[in-house]
Amino acid sequence: QCNLTGWWENDLGSKMQVFKVGNDGTFSGEYHTAVSSAKNPIQPSPLVGSQHLDEDGQCTFGFTVNWKKFSDSTAVFVGQCFNGDDGKEVLHTSWLLREKVNLEPDDWRATR
């Protein structure tokens, strides 16, 4: 069973800490991003998510990060946990980031 609890680090040096995964698969934690286009200093940001608990252990999951401490944006991540040949768990994710825009005509450029 893949256990998301603990620290994870991506290729860019961003880190995520998942505090505890509940029996129903819900979890919370903090995301420590290493990259940002915001003008304010980066700060750890809260995350909440849910993990699908599969019998084979290679679960899917998703979580939301609210960058409210230093930015007007929100990101969502979806992914899957894999048990590698070396016995280490590896997460593969995709994400969307929504930045705040002031006018509806600018909506086209708000999501990446």
Side-chain angles (χ1 to χ4, degrees):
Q1 181 74 27
C2 187
N3 186 351
L4 294 179
T5 301
W7 284 94
W8 298 89
E9 185 172 356
N10 71 13
D11 297 339
L12 298 176
S14 295
K15 296 177 183 174
M16 169 178 78
Q17 182 181 20
V18 174
F19 299 139
K20 179 184 175 187
V21 178
N23 291 336
D24 62 353
T26 60
F27 60 89
S28 64
E30 282 189 331
Y31 200 94
H32 302 247
T33 187
V35 294
S36 172
S37 61
K39 295 177 182 161
N40 295 327
I42 294 172
Q43 296 185 45
S45 300
L47 67 85
V48 293
S50 182
Q51 174 182 354
H52 184 81
L53 303 173
D54 276 353
E55 289 181 16
D56 69 0
Q58 301 197 123
C59 64
T60 59
F61 60 89
F63 60 91
T64 302
V65 179
N66 186 336
W67 309 108
K68 65 184 177 183
K69 293 183 177 182
F70 67 94
S71 175
D72 288 334
S73 61
T74 303
V76 293
F77 294 75
V78 292
Q80 184 172 347
C81 181
F82 294 94
N83 295 310
D85 293 335
D86 59 1
K88 288 186 175 183
E89 296 167 335
V90 177
L91 306 182
H92 286 263
T93 62
S94 296
W95 55 270
L96 290 171
L97 178 91
R98 176 65 186 217
E99 293 179 308
K100 178 181 164 185
V101 291
N102 293 322
L103 300 170
E104 186 178 359
D106 294 330
D107 182 67
W108 67 271
R109 65 180 177 95
T111 303
R112 47 182 160 140

